[in-house]
Structures are given as C-alpha cells and as structure tokens.
Amino acid sequence: TASRVSVHFDQSTGVAVMYMQSPPVNSLSLDFLTEFCISVEKLEMDKGCRGLIITSNQPKVFSAGLDIMEMYGKTPERCGEFWKAVQEMWLKLYGSNMVIISAINGSSPAGGCLMALTSDYRIMADNPRYNIGLNETQLGIVAPFWFKDTMVNTVGHRSAELSLELGLLYSPSEALKIGLVDQLVPEDQVLTTALQIMTKWLAIPDHARQITKSTMRKPTIDKLMSSREADVQNFVSFITRDSIQKSLRMYLEMLKKRKA
Ligand code: CO8
C-alpha cells in the first residue's frame, strides 16, 4: 500500500518536513497513526534531526481528525487498539525533544486540531474557507481530558471552555485572535515561513529549550501516562454506546448530504 506520510529530511539543516498524504482528507485511521508514529519515532531517535515541520499534501485539508469510520460499528477490542494509537500520537508529539512546527495549509478539525496543538508553533494559511478547532461536541462526543488540557495550555481556560462546549470551529483570523494559531500567511507561503521560523527556534541551545519545554508540558503528559488504561476503557465504553453510535451515524450522513 502507498505510504501515508512522506518525510523529507535535510541533513544539512537538521530539519525534517513531514507531508501527510492519506487521501482524501488525512483522517487519522489506525493505519495512518501507526505509520505516522513510526516516522516520528525514527526522527526523534536521529540525533541529527532537531526540527520537524508537519504539513499536508492533500488539497484544502491539514487533517480531518480521527477517522470516524474507526469509531463506527467497530468491536470494543478494535476501538481500544485505535485509541491507544491516538494516545501514542499525542504522547510522541507533545513530549518531543524536537522543535515541531505545524504548517497548517487547510482545515484542521478535532483530532487535526489536537495534532496541531502539540506543536511548538502554528502557522496557518490565511484562507477564510479553512477552519480549525475542537468540534467534538458537534458530533455528540466529548473531547477527552488531555485534548482539553492541551487546548487550555494553548489558549487559556476561558477560550478553551467556550470553544469546547460549543464545539467551535474558528476561521484563521479568529484562531489567531484567541492564540489557537500563532501566525497567518498567504497560502503559498506556509511552508517557507515554517522553515524561516524553524531557523529562529533552532538558534536556541537544544538542551535549554528541551528542558524548558518539558517543564511546561510534563504535568499534562504525566496525567495521561498515569491513566492510559483507564482512558482507553473510558473511550471504549463511551464510543460503543448505542446513543453515541447513533450520533456518529447522523454526523456521517450530514457530511455526505452537505457534499451533495
Ligand atoms: N473520518 C472519516 N471520513 C471522513 C472524515 C473523518 N474525520 N472527514 C471527512 N471524511 C470523508 C467524507 O465523508 C467524504 O467521504 P466520501 O467521499 O465517501 O463522501 C470524504 O472524506 C471527503 O470529505 P468532504 O467531501 O467533506 O471534503 P471537504 O474537502 O469538503 O471537507 C473537511 C474537508 C473540512 C475535513 C470535512 O470533511 C469535515 O469537516 N470532516 C469532518 C471532520 C470532523 O468533524 N472530524 C471529527 C472527527 S472526531 C475527532 O477527531 C476527535 C474525537 C475524540 C473522541 C472522543 C470520544 C470519547
């Protein structure tokens, strides 16, 4: 099967660019997450790699978030396996020693937003047709505590409360205003800007930056690390409920209708 992520590592700069290329919308399936995590792990272990830029090769979309088909009509065992992979992605990215910059060149709802939130810096295309946010409640599902924590750590408590309860999807300019993204640039400059910003970040001595990053994020990471199994159980029992399955079905139908 075709590779779902493509990594371009420049040894001379120590910067890797990772393109997500899982058609049509880079949804985070179990297969995608597995491949993604292996790629991140490889870069993390490569002492020569100091910076990672994550972007999309698909038009109009950074990532559509968790693959809804992985949560619909699946066995509890399979749901558990899927959820462990979602945890793994978050732990690897949020706890990375590399500088990670998201070059958000398209929409980034739910799990896509979570992925971007794990970065050290977010640059988004200034295209009002794109949006970003944790819209879980709109699907009738609840963003887990560590999604919430990551959001609070980024935009603060009040903006996180509003955005999570209402499941808000923000336009780029709204996202910039609440600090959900750090910078907007024209669509064709997202990647070049990410490379420029990366140079600034890499001018800081690694050890000092890494320890500082860890100090900022460790309490949030430890919280999930100490309750991973319970979090899996919680997800599985929630997502397999009839009422939740019904909500997901209605949301899927809405997605199809909207298209027609
Ligand atoms: N999963 C699976 N399939 C998807 C997803 C997805 N997340 N998103 C889109 N698709 C499918 C569409 O159904 C469509 O399929 P088909 O071609 O068969 O009709 C195809 O991808 C293309 O989609 P669109 O035509 O909608 O493409 P657009 O370019 O018009 O729009 C968007 C792209 C903006 C990404 C749009 O598809 C969209 O809004 N998708 C839904 C995104 C979303 O709401 N994701 C939420 C997932 S839940 C999550 O990530 C966190 C859950 C936390 C779990 C908590 C439980 C306890």
Side-chain angles (χ1 to χ4, degrees), residues 24-25 27 60-61 64-69 71 83 107 109-111 135-136 139 141-142 144 147 235 238-239 251 255-256 258-259:
V25 290
S27 66
K60 298 186 296 182
V61 184
L66 303 192
D67 192 320
I68 297 168
M69 300 316 290
M71 302 185 280
W83 196 249
S107 286
N135 60 320
E136 278 79 355
L139 286 72
I141 57 180
V142 180
F147 283 50
F235 171 77
F238 181 82
I239 210 74
Y251 188 75
L255 272 181
K256 306 260 176 227
R258 195 195 53 149
K259 196 176 176 181

PDB file of all heavy atoms in Angstrom, residues 24-25 27 60-61 64-69 71 83 107 109-111 135-136 139 141-142 144 147 235 238-239 251 255-256 258-259, ligand 1:
ATOM      1  N   PRO A  24      -8.845  10.897   1.222  1.00  0.00           N
ATOM      2  CA  PRO A  24      -8.887  12.237   0.646  1.00  0.00           C
ATOM      3  C   PRO A  24      -8.546  13.359   1.644  1.00  0.00           C
ATOM      4  O   PRO A  24      -8.168  14.441   1.227  1.00  0.00           O
ATOM      5  CB  PRO A  24     -10.358  12.366   0.214  1.00  0.00           C
ATOM      6  CG  PRO A  24     -11.107  11.493   1.183  1.00  0.00           C
ATOM      7  CD  PRO A  24     -10.185  10.364   1.537  1.00  0.00           C
ATOM      8  N   VAL A  25      -8.656  13.097   2.971  1.00  0.00           N
ATOM      9  CA  VAL A  25      -8.628  14.217   3.923  1.00  0.00           C
ATOM     10  C   VAL A  25      -7.665  14.005   5.102  1.00  0.00           C
ATOM     11  O   VAL A  25      -7.800  14.652   6.140  1.00  0.00           O
ATOM     12  CB  VAL A  25     -10.054  14.537   4.453  1.00  0.00           C
ATOM     13  CG1 VAL A  25     -10.918  15.148   3.358  1.00  0.00           C
ATOM     14  CG2 VAL A  25     -10.722  13.300   5.046  1.00  0.00           C
ATOM     15  N   SER A  27      -7.513  11.709   7.266  1.00  0.00           N
ATOM     16  CA  SER A  27      -8.156  11.331   8.524  1.00  0.00           C
ATOM     17  C   SER A  27      -7.231  10.344   9.247  1.00  0.00           C
ATOM     18  O   SER A  27      -6.463   9.611   8.617  1.00  0.00           O
ATOM     19  CB  SER A  27      -9.537  10.721   8.291  1.00  0.00           C
ATOM     20  OG  SER A  27      -9.426   9.506   7.605  1.00  0.00           O
ATOM     21  N   LYS A  60      -6.670  21.561   0.509  1.00  0.00           N
ATOM     22  CA  LYS A  60      -7.706  22.165   1.369  1.00  0.00           C
ATOM     23  C   LYS A  60      -7.804  21.624   2.793  1.00  0.00           C
ATOM     24  O   LYS A  60      -8.546  22.148   3.610  1.00  0.00           O
ATOM     25  CB  LYS A  60      -9.114  22.032   0.734  1.00  0.00           C
ATOM     26  CG  LYS A  60      -9.276  22.735  -0.587  1.00  0.00           C
ATOM     27  CD  LYS A  60     -10.730  22.668  -1.055  1.00  0.00           C
ATOM     28  CE  LYS A  60     -11.140  21.229  -1.328  1.00  0.00           C
ATOM     29  NZ  LYS A  60     -12.529  21.090  -1.837  1.00  0.00           N
ATOM     30  N   VAL A  61      -7.107  20.524   3.076  1.00  0.00           N
ATOM     31  CA  VAL A  61      -7.232  19.915   4.405  1.00  0.00           C
ATOM     32  C   VAL A  61      -5.857  19.622   5.006  1.00  0.00           C
ATOM     33  O   VAL A  61      -4.999  19.043   4.343  1.00  0.00           O
ATOM     34  CB  VAL A  61      -8.031  18.588   4.345  1.00  0.00           C
ATOM     35  CG1 VAL A  61      -8.231  18.032   5.739  1.00  0.00           C
ATOM     36  CG2 VAL A  61      -9.373  18.782   3.656  1.00  0.00           C
ATOM     37  N   ALA A  64      -8.482  15.904   8.761  1.00  0.00           N
ATOM     38  CA  ALA A  64      -9.898  15.881   9.148  1.00  0.00           C
ATOM     39  C   ALA A  64     -10.101  15.293  10.538  1.00  0.00           C
ATOM     40  O   ALA A  64     -11.234  15.077  10.965  1.00  0.00           O
ATOM     41  CB  ALA A  64     -10.712  15.096   8.131  1.00  0.00           C
ATOM     42  N   GLY A  65      -9.001  15.024  11.254  1.00  0.00           N
ATOM     43  CA  GLY A  65      -9.139  14.487  12.605  1.00  0.00           C
ATOM     44  C   GLY A  65      -9.294  12.978  12.596  1.00  0.00           C
ATOM     45  O   GLY A  65      -9.019  12.323  11.590  1.00  0.00           O
ATOM     46  N   LEU A  66      -9.720  12.452  13.714  1.00  0.00           N
ATOM     47  CA  LEU A  66      -9.830  10.997  13.817  1.00  0.00           C
ATOM     48  C   LEU A  66     -10.742  10.469  12.728  1.00  0.00           C
ATOM     49  O   LEU A  66     -11.753  11.096  12.384  1.00  0.00           O
ATOM     50  CB  LEU A  66     -10.381  10.596  15.192  1.00  0.00           C
ATOM     51  CG  LEU A  66      -9.581  11.084  16.399  1.00  0.00           C
ATOM     52  CD1 LEU A  66     -10.060  10.375  17.661  1.00  0.00           C
ATOM     53  CD2 LEU A  66      -8.092  10.887  16.211  1.00  0.00           C
ATOM     54  N   ASP A  67     -10.370   9.320  12.190  1.00  0.00           N
ATOM     55  CA  ASP A  67     -11.185   8.690  11.163  1.00  0.00           C
ATOM     56  C   ASP A  67     -12.473   8.185  11.813  1.00  0.00           C
ATOM     57  O   ASP A  67     -12.443   7.268  12.640  1.00  0.00           O
ATOM     58  CB  ASP A  67     -10.404   7.529  10.532  1.00  0.00           C
ATOM     59  CG  ASP A  67     -11.076   7.030   9.273  1.00  0.00           C
ATOM     60  OD1 ASP A  67     -12.326   6.951   9.253  1.00  0.00           O
ATOM     61  OD2 ASP A  67     -10.362   6.724   8.308  1.00  0.00           O
ATOM     62  N   ILE A  68     -13.567   8.797  11.432  1.00  0.00           N
ATOM     63  CA  ILE A  68     -14.845   8.473  12.074  1.00  0.00           C
ATOM     64  C   ILE A  68     -15.204   6.998  11.840  1.00  0.00           C
ATOM     65  O   ILE A  68     -15.810   6.356  12.706  1.00  0.00           O
ATOM     66  CB  ILE A  68     -15.957   9.417  11.565  1.00  0.00           C
ATOM     67  CG1 ILE A  68     -15.621  10.860  11.971  1.00  0.00           C
ATOM     68  CG2 ILE A  68     -17.321   9.021  12.129  1.00  0.00           C
ATOM     69  CD1 ILE A  68     -16.475  11.915  11.291  1.00  0.00           C
ATOM     70  N   MET A  69     -14.775   6.458  10.716  1.00  0.00           N
ATOM     71  CA  MET A  69     -15.071   5.047  10.435  1.00  0.00           C
ATOM     72  C   MET A  69     -14.370   4.099  11.413  1.00  0.00           C
ATOM     73  O   MET A  69     -14.789   2.952  11.561  1.00  0.00           O
ATOM     74  CB  MET A  69     -14.687   4.691   8.980  1.00  0.00           C
ATOM     75  CG  MET A  69     -15.431   5.504   7.929  1.00  0.00           C
ATOM     76  SD  MET A  69     -17.188   5.674   8.257  1.00  0.00           S
ATOM     77  CE  MET A  69     -17.733   3.989   7.964  1.00  0.00           C
ATOM     78  N   MET A  71     -14.427   4.601  14.494  1.00  0.00           N
ATOM     79  CA  MET A  71     -15.195   4.679  15.749  1.00  0.00           C
ATOM     80  C   MET A  71     -16.633   4.199  15.550  1.00  0.00           C
ATOM     81  O   MET A  71     -17.423   4.187  16.470  1.00  0.00           O
ATOM     82  CB  MET A  71     -15.197   6.134  16.276  1.00  0.00           C
ATOM     83  CG  MET A  71     -13.798   6.696  16.514  1.00  0.00           C
ATOM     84  SD  MET A  71     -13.797   8.325  17.271  1.00  0.00           S
ATOM     85  CE  MET A  71     -14.136   9.373  15.841  1.00  0.00           C
ATOM     86  N   TRP A  83      -7.679   3.613  20.017  1.00  0.00           N
ATOM     87  CA  TRP A  83      -7.488   4.694  20.983  1.00  0.00           C
ATOM     88  C   TRP A  83      -6.057   4.740  21.524  1.00  0.00           C
ATOM     89  O   TRP A  83      -5.497   5.809  21.743  1.00  0.00           O
ATOM     90  CB  TRP A  83      -8.509   4.602  22.122  1.00  0.00           C
ATOM     91  CG  TRP A  83      -8.578   5.883  22.878  1.00  0.00           C
ATOM     92  CD1 TRP A  83      -8.166   6.106  24.156  1.00  0.00           C
ATOM     93  CD2 TRP A  83      -9.049   7.140  22.374  1.00  0.00           C
ATOM     94  NE1 TRP A  83      -8.356   7.427  24.488  1.00  0.00           N
ATOM     95  CE2 TRP A  83      -8.902   8.086  23.402  1.00  0.00           C
ATOM     96  CE3 TRP A  83      -9.591   7.546  21.148  1.00  0.00           C
ATOM     97  CZ2 TRP A  83      -9.266   9.423  23.251  1.00  0.00           C
ATOM     98  CZ3 TRP A  83      -9.955   8.876  20.983  1.00  0.00           C
ATOM     99  CH2 TRP A  83      -9.790   9.795  22.041  1.00  0.00           C
ATOM    100  N   SER A 107      -8.026  22.917   6.362  1.00  0.00           N
ATOM    101  CA  SER A 107      -8.863  22.772   7.559  1.00  0.00           C
ATOM    102  C   SER A 107      -8.282  21.743   8.513  1.00  0.00           C
ATOM    103  O   SER A 107      -7.613  20.792   8.107  1.00  0.00           O
ATOM    104  CB  SER A 107     -10.284  22.372   7.161  1.00  0.00           C
ATOM    105  OG  SER A 107     -10.938  23.485   6.608  1.00  0.00           O
ATOM    106  N   PRO A 109     -10.026  20.203  11.785  1.00  0.00           N
ATOM    107  CA  PRO A 109     -10.978  19.992  12.878  1.00  0.00           C
ATOM    108  C   PRO A 109     -10.537  18.885  13.840  1.00  0.00           C
ATOM    109  O   PRO A 109      -9.730  18.016  13.481  1.00  0.00           O
ATOM    110  CB  PRO A 109     -12.257  19.562  12.139  1.00  0.00           C
ATOM    111  CG  PRO A 109     -11.762  18.893  10.897  1.00  0.00           C
ATOM    112  CD  PRO A 109     -10.499  19.627  10.507  1.00  0.00           C
ATOM    113  N   ALA A 110     -11.051  18.937  15.047  1.00  0.00           N
ATOM    114  CA  ALA A 110     -10.963  17.859  16.052  1.00  0.00           C
ATOM    115  C   ALA A 110      -9.545  17.299  16.196  1.00  0.00           C
ATOM    116  O   ALA A 110      -8.624  18.028  16.552  1.00  0.00           O
ATOM    117  CB  ALA A 110     -11.992  16.768  15.730  1.00  0.00           C
ATOM    118  N   GLY A 111      -9.374  16.012  15.901  1.00  0.00           N
ATOM    119  CA  GLY A 111      -8.058  15.397  16.047  1.00  0.00           C
ATOM    120  C   GLY A 111      -6.980  16.095  15.231  1.00  0.00           C
ATOM    121  O   GLY A 111      -5.800  16.043  15.588  1.00  0.00           O
ATOM    122  N   ASN A 135     -14.154  20.456  17.630  1.00  0.00           N
ATOM    123  CA  ASN A 135     -15.603  20.496  17.402  1.00  0.00           C
ATOM    124  C   ASN A 135     -16.330  19.249  17.883  1.00  0.00           C
ATOM    125  O   ASN A 135     -17.466  18.995  17.498  1.00  0.00           O
ATOM    126  CB  ASN A 135     -15.857  20.693  15.899  1.00  0.00           C
ATOM    127  CG  ASN A 135     -15.271  19.573  15.050  1.00  0.00           C
ATOM    128  OD1 ASN A 135     -14.174  19.109  15.328  1.00  0.00           O
ATOM    129  ND2 ASN A 135     -15.987  19.137  14.044  1.00  0.00           N
ATOM    130  N   GLU A 136     -15.683  18.454  18.756  1.00  0.00           N
ATOM    131  CA  GLU A 136     -16.246  17.170  19.176  1.00  0.00           C
ATOM    132  C   GLU A 136     -17.708  17.244  19.601  1.00  0.00           C
ATOM    133  O   GLU A 136     -18.512  16.380  19.234  1.00  0.00           O
ATOM    134  CB  GLU A 136     -15.416  16.572  20.323  1.00  0.00           C
ATOM    135  CG  GLU A 136     -14.171  15.828  19.874  1.00  0.00           C
ATOM    136  CD  GLU A 136     -13.008  16.736  19.512  1.00  0.00           C
ATOM    137  OE1 GLU A 136     -13.180  17.973  19.512  1.00  0.00           O
ATOM    138  OE2 GLU A 136     -11.924  16.212  19.213  1.00  0.00           O
ATOM    139  N   LEU A 139     -20.384  16.620  17.193  1.00  0.00           N
ATOM    140  CA  LEU A 139     -20.616  15.234  16.772  1.00  0.00           C
ATOM    141  C   LEU A 139     -21.330  14.452  17.875  1.00  0.00           C
ATOM    142  O   LEU A 139     -21.569  13.256  17.738  1.00  0.00           O
ATOM    143  CB  LEU A 139     -19.295  14.515  16.479  1.00  0.00           C
ATOM    144  CG  LEU A 139     -18.504  14.822  15.226  1.00  0.00           C
ATOM    145  CD1 LEU A 139     -17.847  16.180  15.288  1.00  0.00           C
ATOM    146  CD2 LEU A 139     -17.419  13.766  14.998  1.00  0.00           C
ATOM    147  N   ILE A 141     -19.939  13.885  20.729  1.00  0.00           N
ATOM    148  CA  ILE A 141     -18.922  13.189  21.507  1.00  0.00           C
ATOM    149  C   ILE A 141     -18.148  14.204  22.351  1.00  0.00           C
ATOM    150  O   ILE A 141     -18.286  15.418  22.165  1.00  0.00           O
ATOM    151  CB  ILE A 141     -17.972  12.339  20.625  1.00  0.00           C
ATOM    152  CG1 ILE A 141     -17.285  13.196  19.562  1.00  0.00           C
ATOM    153  CG2 ILE A 141     -18.740  11.201  19.966  1.00  0.00           C
ATOM    154  CD1 ILE A 141     -16.330  12.402  18.661  1.00  0.00           C
ATOM    155  N   VAL A 142     -17.363  13.676  23.274  1.00  0.00           N
ATOM    156  CA  VAL A 142     -16.712  14.539  24.254  1.00  0.00           C
ATOM    157  C   VAL A 142     -15.197  14.433  24.105  1.00  0.00           C
ATOM    158  O   VAL A 142     -14.639  13.336  24.136  1.00  0.00           O
ATOM    159  CB  VAL A 142     -17.113  14.114  25.686  1.00  0.00           C
ATOM    160  CG1 VAL A 142     -16.433  14.996  26.728  1.00  0.00           C
ATOM    161  CG2 VAL A 142     -18.634  14.157  25.841  1.00  0.00           C
ATOM    162  N   PRO A 144     -11.629  14.130  25.214  1.00  0.00           N
ATOM    163  CA  PRO A 144     -11.063  13.619  26.456  1.00  0.00           C
ATOM    164  C   PRO A 144     -10.261  14.689  27.204  1.00  0.00           C
ATOM    165  O   PRO A 144      -9.895  15.705  26.627  1.00  0.00           O
ATOM    166  CB  PRO A 144     -10.123  12.506  25.994  1.00  0.00           C
ATOM    167  CG  PRO A 144     -10.475  12.233  24.595  1.00  0.00           C
ATOM    168  CD  PRO A 144     -11.098  13.452  24.033  1.00  0.00           C
ATOM    169  N   PHE A 147      -7.169  16.182  25.546  1.00  0.00           N
ATOM    170  CA  PHE A 147      -7.464  17.136  24.460  1.00  0.00           C
ATOM    171  C   PHE A 147      -7.722  18.505  25.102  1.00  0.00           C
ATOM    172  O   PHE A 147      -7.187  19.525  24.690  1.00  0.00           O
ATOM    173  CB  PHE A 147      -8.721  16.750  23.684  1.00  0.00           C
ATOM    174  CG  PHE A 147      -8.605  15.617  22.695  1.00  0.00           C
ATOM    175  CD1 PHE A 147      -8.031  14.406  23.032  1.00  0.00           C
ATOM    176  CD2 PHE A 147      -9.124  15.754  21.405  1.00  0.00           C
ATOM    177  CE1 PHE A 147      -7.966  13.355  22.112  1.00  0.00           C
ATOM    178  CE2 PHE A 147      -9.064  14.719  20.477  1.00  0.00           C
ATOM    179  CZ  PHE A 147      -8.493  13.510  20.829  1.00  0.00           C
ATOM    180  N   PHE A 235     -12.896   5.497  26.810  1.00  0.00           N
ATOM    181  CA  PHE A 235     -13.216   5.733  25.405  1.00  0.00           C
ATOM    182  C   PHE A 235     -14.068   4.598  24.850  1.00  0.00           C
ATOM    183  O   PHE A 235     -15.092   4.825  24.211  1.00  0.00           O
ATOM    184  CB  PHE A 235     -11.938   5.879  24.562  1.00  0.00           C
ATOM    185  CG  PHE A 235     -12.199   5.900  23.083  1.00  0.00           C
ATOM    186  CD1 PHE A 235     -12.702   7.045  22.465  1.00  0.00           C
ATOM    187  CD2 PHE A 235     -11.971   4.770  22.301  1.00  0.00           C
ATOM    188  CE1 PHE A 235     -12.969   7.060  21.096  1.00  0.00           C
ATOM    189  CE2 PHE A 235     -12.235   4.782  20.930  1.00  0.00           C
ATOM    190  CZ  PHE A 235     -12.737   5.925  20.334  1.00  0.00           C
ATOM    191  N   PHE A 238     -17.598   4.531  26.141  1.00  0.00           N
ATOM    192  CA  PHE A 238     -18.361   5.687  25.642  1.00  0.00           C
ATOM    193  C   PHE A 238     -18.734   5.511  24.169  1.00  0.00           C
ATOM    194  O   PHE A 238     -19.892   5.637  23.785  1.00  0.00           O
ATOM    195  CB  PHE A 238     -17.525   6.956  25.837  1.00  0.00           C
ATOM    196  CG  PHE A 238     -18.197   8.225  25.389  1.00  0.00           C
ATOM    197  CD1 PHE A 238     -19.111   8.885  26.199  1.00  0.00           C
ATOM    198  CD2 PHE A 238     -17.900   8.770  24.135  1.00  0.00           C
ATOM    199  CE1 PHE A 238     -19.724  10.065  25.774  1.00  0.00           C
ATOM    200  CE2 PHE A 238     -18.509   9.947  23.704  1.00  0.00           C
ATOM    201  CZ  PHE A 238     -19.427  10.597  24.524  1.00  0.00           C
ATOM    202  N   ILE A 239     -17.743   5.174  23.370  1.00  0.00           N
ATOM    203  CA  ILE A 239     -17.938   5.195  21.913  1.00  0.00           C
ATOM    204  C   ILE A 239     -18.828   4.043  21.449  1.00  0.00           C
ATOM    205  O   ILE A 239     -19.486   4.139  20.417  1.00  0.00           O
ATOM    206  CB  ILE A 239     -16.566   5.205  21.179  1.00  0.00           C
ATOM    207  CG1 ILE A 239     -16.670   5.949  19.835  1.00  0.00           C
ATOM    208  CG2 ILE A 239     -16.002   3.815  20.961  1.00  0.00           C
ATOM    209  CD1 ILE A 239     -16.768   7.431  19.925  1.00  0.00           C
ATOM    210  N   TYR A 251     -24.024  12.208  12.050  1.00  0.00           N
ATOM    211  CA  TYR A 251     -22.976  13.151  11.618  1.00  0.00           C
ATOM    212  C   TYR A 251     -22.406  12.736  10.257  1.00  0.00           C
ATOM    213  O   TYR A 251     -22.207  13.566   9.376  1.00  0.00           O
ATOM    214  CB  TYR A 251     -21.865  13.212  12.664  1.00  0.00           C
ATOM    215  CG  TYR A 251     -20.840  14.281  12.397  1.00  0.00           C
ATOM    216  CD1 TYR A 251     -21.123  15.625  12.639  1.00  0.00           C
ATOM    217  CD2 TYR A 251     -19.588  13.966  11.889  1.00  0.00           C
ATOM    218  CE1 TYR A 251     -20.185  16.613  12.378  1.00  0.00           C
ATOM    219  CE2 TYR A 251     -18.639  14.948  11.630  1.00  0.00           C
ATOM    220  CZ  TYR A 251     -18.936  16.267  11.885  1.00  0.00           C
ATOM    221  OH  TYR A 251     -18.007  17.244  11.628  1.00  0.00           O
ATOM    222  N   LEU A 255     -22.406  14.810   6.780  1.00  0.00           N
ATOM    223  CA  LEU A 255     -21.219  15.075   5.951  1.00  0.00           C
ATOM    224  C   LEU A 255     -21.494  14.746   4.482  1.00  0.00           C
ATOM    225  O   LEU A 255     -21.110  15.486   3.586  1.00  0.00           O
ATOM    226  CB  LEU A 255     -20.037  14.225   6.432  1.00  0.00           C
ATOM    227  CG  LEU A 255     -19.125  14.766   7.525  1.00  0.00           C
ATOM    228  CD1 LEU A 255     -18.017  13.755   7.818  1.00  0.00           C
ATOM    229  CD2 LEU A 255     -18.527  16.114   7.158  1.00  0.00           C
ATOM    230  N   LYS A 256     -22.153  13.620   4.251  1.00  0.00           N
ATOM    231  CA  LYS A 256     -22.460  13.200   2.868  1.00  0.00           C
ATOM    232  C   LYS A 256     -23.451  14.168   2.225  1.00  0.00           C
ATOM    233  O   LYS A 256     -23.272  14.563   1.073  1.00  0.00           O
ATOM    234  CB  LYS A 256     -23.059  11.784   2.842  1.00  0.00           C
ATOM    235  CG  LYS A 256     -22.218  10.756   3.551  1.00  0.00           C
ATOM    236  CD  LYS A 256     -21.388   9.914   2.578  1.00  0.00           C
ATOM    237  CE  LYS A 256     -20.498   8.961   3.341  1.00  0.00           C
ATOM    238  NZ  LYS A 256     -19.123   8.905   2.915  1.00  0.00           N
ATOM    239  N   ARG A 258     -24.124  17.296   2.974  1.00  0.00           N
ATOM    240  CA  ARG A 258     -23.521  18.607   2.772  1.00  0.00           C
ATOM    241  C   ARG A 258     -22.782  18.640   1.436  1.00  0.00           C
ATOM    242  O   ARG A 258     -22.682  19.647   0.763  1.00  0.00           O
ATOM    243  CB  ARG A 258     -22.558  18.862   3.931  1.00  0.00           C
ATOM    244  CG  ARG A 258     -22.101  20.283   4.099  1.00  0.00           C
ATOM    245  CD  ARG A 258     -20.905  20.302   5.002  1.00  0.00           C
ATOM    246  NE  ARG A 258     -19.889  19.361   4.500  1.00  0.00           N
ATOM    247  CZ  ARG A 258     -18.601  19.529   4.646  1.00  0.00           C
ATOM    248  NH1 ARG A 258     -18.154  20.560   5.292  1.00  0.00           N
ATOM    249  NH2 ARG A 258     -17.742  18.646   4.166  1.00  0.00           N
ATOM    250  N   LYS A 259     -22.237  17.475   1.091  1.00  0.00           N
ATOM    251  CA  LYS A 259     -21.442  17.351  -0.113  1.00  0.00           C
ATOM    252  C   LYS A 259     -22.330  17.414  -1.358  1.00  0.00           C
ATOM    253  O   LYS A 259     -21.966  17.999  -2.369  1.00  0.00           O
ATOM    254  CB  LYS A 259     -20.711  16.011  -0.056  1.00  0.00           C
ATOM    255  CG  LYS A 259     -19.572  15.884  -1.027  1.00  0.00           C
ATOM    256  CD  LYS A 259     -18.899  14.540  -0.785  1.00  0.00           C
ATOM    257  CE  LYS A 259     -17.791  14.323  -1.806  1.00  0.00           C
ATOM    258  NZ  LYS A 259     -17.153  13.030  -1.608  1.00  0.00           N
TER     259      LYS A 259
HETATM  260  N1  CO8 B   1     -13.328  10.470   9.172  1.00  0.00           N
HETATM  261  C1  CO8 B   1     -13.702   9.689   8.136  1.00  0.00           C
HETATM  262  N2  CO8 B   1     -14.088  10.160   6.931  1.00  0.00           N
HETATM  263  C2  CO8 B   1     -14.076  11.497   6.760  1.00  0.00           C
HETATM  264  C3  CO8 B   1     -13.694  12.359   7.806  1.00  0.00           C
HETATM  265  C4  CO8 B   1     -13.308  11.810   9.054  1.00  0.00           C
HETATM  266  N3  CO8 B   1     -12.916  12.568  10.105  1.00  0.00           N
HETATM  267  N4  CO8 B   1     -13.794  13.633   7.344  1.00  0.00           N
HETATM  268  C5  CO8 B   1     -14.223  13.545   6.073  1.00  0.00           C
HETATM  269  N5  CO8 B   1     -14.389  12.266   5.705  1.00  0.00           N
HETATM  270  C6  CO8 B   1     -14.806  11.760   4.383  1.00  0.00           C
HETATM  271  C7  CO8 B   1     -16.127  12.361   3.933  1.00  0.00           C
HETATM  272  O1  CO8 B   1     -17.215  11.655   4.473  1.00  0.00           O
HETATM  273  C8  CO8 B   1     -16.024  12.205   2.431  1.00  0.00           C
HETATM  274  O2  CO8 B   1     -16.281  10.860   2.124  1.00  0.00           O
HETATM  275  P1  CO8 B   1     -16.983  10.453   0.714  1.00  0.00           P
HETATM  276  O3  CO8 B   1     -16.063  10.967  -0.336  1.00  0.00           O
HETATM  277  O4  CO8 B   1     -17.083   8.982   0.773  1.00  0.00           O
HETATM  278  O5  CO8 B   1     -18.313  11.141   0.726  1.00  0.00           O
HETATM  279  C9  CO8 B   1     -14.546  12.464   2.172  1.00  0.00           C
HETATM  280  O6  CO8 B   1     -13.881  12.220   3.416  1.00  0.00           O
HETATM  281  C10 CO8 B   1     -14.237  13.881   1.726  1.00  0.00           C
HETATM  282  O7  CO8 B   1     -14.823  14.797   2.652  1.00  0.00           O
HETATM  283  P2  CO8 B   1     -15.529  16.151   2.195  1.00  0.00           P
HETATM  284  O8  CO8 B   1     -16.245  15.952   0.903  1.00  0.00           O
HETATM  285  O9  CO8 B   1     -16.314  16.663   3.343  1.00  0.00           O
HETATM  286  O10 CO8 B   1     -14.229  17.068   1.911  1.00  0.00           O
HETATM  287  P3  CO8 B   1     -14.115  18.667   2.030  1.00  0.00           P
HETATM  288  O11 CO8 B   1     -12.800  18.998   1.428  1.00  0.00           O
HETATM  289  O12 CO8 B   1     -15.344  19.335   1.518  1.00  0.00           O
HETATM  290  O13 CO8 B   1     -14.057  18.961   3.607  1.00  0.00           O
HETATM  291  C11 CO8 B   1     -13.358  18.597   5.864  1.00  0.00           C
HETATM  292  C12 CO8 B   1     -12.996  18.504   4.377  1.00  0.00           C
HETATM  293  C13 CO8 B   1     -13.453  20.045   6.286  1.00  0.00           C
HETATM  294  C14 CO8 B   1     -12.232  17.909   6.636  1.00  0.00           C
HETATM  295  C15 CO8 B   1     -14.699  17.898   6.112  1.00  0.00           C
HETATM  296  O14 CO8 B   1     -14.668  16.623   5.520  1.00  0.00           O
HETATM  297  C16 CO8 B   1     -15.067  17.719   7.552  1.00  0.00           C
HETATM  298  O15 CO8 B   1     -15.490  18.648   8.205  1.00  0.00           O
HETATM  299  N6  CO8 B   1     -14.938  16.486   8.071  1.00  0.00           N
HETATM  300  C17 CO8 B   1     -15.330  16.126   9.405  1.00  0.00           C
HETATM  301  C18 CO8 B   1     -14.256  16.462  10.354  1.00  0.00           C
HETATM  302  C19 CO8 B   1     -14.642  16.123  11.757  1.00  0.00           C
HETATM  303  O16 CO8 B   1     -15.626  16.593  12.301  1.00  0.00           O
HETATM  304  N7  CO8 B   1     -13.835  15.273  12.377  1.00  0.00           N
HETATM  305  C20 CO8 B   1     -14.061  14.902  13.722  1.00  0.00           C
HETATM  306  C21 CO8 B   1     -13.519  13.538  13.993  1.00  0.00           C
HETATM  307  S1  CO8 B   1     -13.622  13.194  15.747  1.00  0.00           S
HETATM  308  C22 CO8 B   1     -12.084  13.536  16.368  1.00  0.00           C
HETATM  309  O17 CO8 B   1     -11.171  13.810  15.649  1.00  0.00           O
HETATM  310  C23 CO8 B   1     -11.820  13.510  17.867  1.00  0.00           C
HETATM  311  C24 CO8 B   1     -12.683  12.563  18.558  1.00  0.00           C
HETATM  312  C25 CO8 B   1     -12.369  12.422  20.011  1.00  0.00           C
HETATM  313  C26 CO8 B   1     -13.010  11.171  20.563  1.00  0.00           C
HETATM  314  C27 CO8 B   1     -13.739  11.406  21.811  1.00  0.00           C
HETATM  315  C28 CO8 B   1     -14.670  10.238  22.139  1.00  0.00           C
HETATM  316  C29 CO8 B   1     -14.774   9.952  23.586  1.00  0.00           C
END
